[in-house]
Amino acid sequence: MKIQDVLVLLFFCEIPLRNELANVKINNVVKNQDNHFKQNKSGYTLILNDHKTVKRVGSRAHKISKSIARVLNKFIPMVRKVTKHGYLLTTTRGNRMTMNALSKYLVKITKVHFGTGFSSQIIRILFAKSKVEGLKLAKEAQESLGHASLETTLSYAKK
């Protein structure tokens, strides 16, 4: 299994992103505009300044688990060494991975490793279903999913 496969699968298992992961920069970051990582003593925080609901919800911050941080510590220097585009994810040809390419990549690697291809939308729906057990958990799911309204999150749980 490639390290990028591991990283993408870990991210989508722990943080129910859309395909914003493709827009995460590791070089030449403009702090209040770009999606990027903020490194601190306890690890990393993923800052999303450029996402679908930024106008209504604002910037989002996701704490990164220790398992993802360990992979990032090995992966980021490798990407910086072999690419010049400044983004976290790379295609097989060494180009920046677009959101559309990430969508196809995610379906491909989940099919290989789990026998069924999952899109980010399906992962978000499964996440919402697992989290909507009470109003407090629904509110946490809403914040994690980056929805402006709780109704949107609850509609995911009904699917």
Side-chain angles (χ1 to χ4, degrees):
M1 186 182 298
K2 298 177 190 172
I3 190 167
Q4 183 166 278
D5 292 1
V6 172
L7 184 65
V8 169
L9 290 173
L10 281 173
F11 262 105
F12 280 97
C13 286
E14 294 185 20
I15 304 170
L17 299 172
R18 290 177 177 90
N19 290 322
E20 301 108 333
L21 191 60
N23 294 333
V24 174
K25 281 188 159 186
I26 56 173
N27 292 337
N28 305 319
V29 174
V30 178
K31 293 239 176 179
N32 292 325
Q33 293 178 4
D34 295 326
N35 296 340
H36 64 281
F37 293 107
K38 180 179 171 188
Q39 193 169 9
N40 49 39
K41 291 179 184 177
S42 61
Y44 291 95
T45 302
L46 174 61
I47 308 295
L48 296 175
N49 292 312
D50 178 23
H51 56 89
K52 182 179 176 182
T53 58
V54 72
K55 290 180 184 173
R56 285 187 276 154
V57 185
S59 181
R60 295 181 0 219
H62 296 280
K63 282 195 166 202
I64 302 299
S65 69
K66 288 182 181 180
S67 57
I68 294 177
R70 279 189 223 115
V71 176
L72 282 173
N73 285 333
K74 293 182 188 283
F75 188 68
I76 289 174
M78 289 170 40
V79 173
R80 283 187 175 141
K81 188 184 266 186
V82 298
T83 65
K84 293 182 181 162
H85 54 66
Y87 287 87
L88 179 68
L89 300 179
T90 304
T91 65
T92 53
R93 294 184 176 175
N95 298 320
R96 170 191 172 206
M97 189 176 289
T98 63
M99 290 173 67
N100 188 34
L102 175 59
S103 179
K104 291 175 183 175
Y105 178 74
L106 182 61
V107 170
K108 179 182 169 187
I109 64 173
T110 54
K111 195 171 204 169
V112 167
H113 298 294
F114 302 115
T116 302
F118 292 102
S119 66
S120 60
Q121 184 65 19
I122 295 297
I123 293 170
R124 289 170 60 79
I125 289 167
L126 293 171
F127 180 85
K129 278 188 170 195
S130 72
K131 292 291 182 183
V132 180
E133 294 174 1
L135 193 54
K136 181 180 177 198
L137 290 176
K139 190 68 176 160
E140 289 173 15
Q142 175 195 355
E143 291 171 7
S144 293
L145 291 164
H147 290 155
S149 70
L150 185 58
E151 289 77 24
T152 305
T153 306
L154 293 174
S155 73
Y156 272 52
K158 292 177 187 174
K159 290 184 180 178

